[in-house]
Amino acid sequence: QQQVKQSPQSLIVQKGGISIINCAYENTAFDYFPWYQQFPGKGPALLIAIRPDVSEKKEGRFTISFNKSAKQFSLHIMDSQPGDSATYFCAASRGSNYQLIWGAGTKLIIKP
Amino acid sequence: GAVVSQHPSWVICKSGTSVKIECRSLDFQATTMFWYRQFPKQSLMLMATSNEGSKATYEQGVEKDKFLINHASLTLSTLTVTSAHPEDSSFYICSAKGQGLRGIQYFGAGTRLSVL
């Protein structure tokens, strides 16, 4: 019940296309859903996050869609660029200690 | 934005020696810090959570005597890998969160540990 399932494991998208990564969770107590971007040899960097009281959040080319009833959330990267090539992790947390439960990660490659 | 500095970025050591990794929050007070381990092409594995001034809480399966964590101040936490062995070689990452940052964890750049 603590798991966060992420798919796909890897994704190749043409430059200018839309990249979509999906995550699903079981624990309805989760109340914070961030996405992190990680480049090789670097620590993860927060990209965008959402709380369950909204269904969508957009920041620039990045959008989180959240479906509370289905217990799913997804990251959409519009107009994908080669610089977006990285590994993306979804996560979820609950409670005051904000311990993150991580998805397995998606390696995204944007082809020029 | 909040900045977390992690040092060193890469360390090579001989088997049996101890290695200390530092994690500093540069522009905020980190009430809680987390230490992760990441194997190649895998997700982050939480090792321990530490709150300033109290003992760290270790995840199941993590040896507390092997991985010593100290969170002595609101801006500094250290991870010491004691008597390191080749199987301890990994990428170690710290993160920190502070009051007023809405629970957001900010990550250091990670430390690549290679034990020969």
Side-chain angles (χ1 to χ4, degrees):
Chain A
Q1 200 181 22
Q2 282 288 87
Q3 283 186 325
V4 175
K5 294 183 179 179
Q6 183 173 347
S7 63
Q9 188 175 14
S10 62
L11 180 63
I12 300 174
V13 175
Q14 288 292 130
K15 178 184 175 182
I18 302 174
S19 304
I20 302 174
I21 304 170
N22 301 298
C23 283
Y25 63 97
E26 291 292 327
N27 191 341
T28 56
F30 287 145
D31 60 4
Y32 175 66
F33 302 88
W35 284 89
Y36 282 85
Q37 179 188 56
Q38 185 180 29
F39 293 104
K42 302 294 182 182
L46 179 66
L47 199 57
I48 187 172
I50 198 168
R51 296 190 185 272
D53 53 343
V54 297
S55 60
E56 186 175 281
K57 183 175 181 179
K58 184 176 180 180
E59 290 184 2
R61 296 185 294 110
F62 301 93
T63 300
I64 297 180
S65 296
F66 186 82
N67 187 329
K68 190 174 181 178
S69 60
K71 292 185 284 187
Q72 295 176 347
F73 59 109
S74 60
L75 175 69
H76 291 64
I77 305 174
M78 313 300 287
D79 187 26
S80 299
Q81 299 297 311
D84 297 330
S85 297
T87 298
Y88 292 80
F89 293 96
C90 64
S93 70
R94 69 173 182 91
S96 59
N97 70 350
Y98 289 91
Q99 179 178 332
L100 290 171
I101 308 300
W102 294 83
T106 297
K107 184 173 182 179
L108 174 64
I109 297 172
I110 307 300
K111 282 195 163 184
Chain B
V3 179
V4 174
S5 173
Q6 188 172 339
H7 178 80
S9 58
W10 193 12
V11 58
I12 302 173
C13 70
K14 291 182 179 179
S15 183
T17 60
S18 294
V19 173
K20 180 183 283 189
I21 302 170
E22 290 189 349
C23 182
R24 293 179 185 273
S25 56
L26 297 186
D27 51 3
F28 68 100
Q29 293 186 325
T31 51
T32 305
M33 285 187 168
F34 303 86
W35 286 95
Y36 294 87
R37 184 171 180 176
Q38 187 176 33
F39 293 101
K41 299 183 180 180
Q42 292 191 22
S43 189
L44 284 75
M45 181 186 77
L46 180 66
M47 298 174 66
T49 302
S50 73
N51 294 296
E52 184 267 337
S54 59
K55 289 184 178 180
T57 301
Y58 290 80
E59 295 299 302
Q60 192 174 8
V62 178
E63 299 175 59
K64 58 180 68 176
D65 295 330
K66 163 69 108 176
F67 300 99
L68 300 178
I69 292 171
N70 184 285
H71 191 168
S73 76
L74 282 171
T75 59
L76 174 64
S77 176
T78 60
L79 167 67
T80 301
V81 183
T82 61
S83 186
H85 290 283
E87 59 265 29
D88 299 323
S89 298
S90 191
F91 192 55
Y92 294 88
I93 313 172
C94 72
S95 72
K97 81 172 187 76
Q99 292 177 346
L101 294 178
R102 302 194 65 197
I104 295 172
Q105 283 189 37
Y106 293 91
F107 283 79
T111 297
R112 172 75 57 194
L113 171 63
S114 296
V115 184
L116 303 178

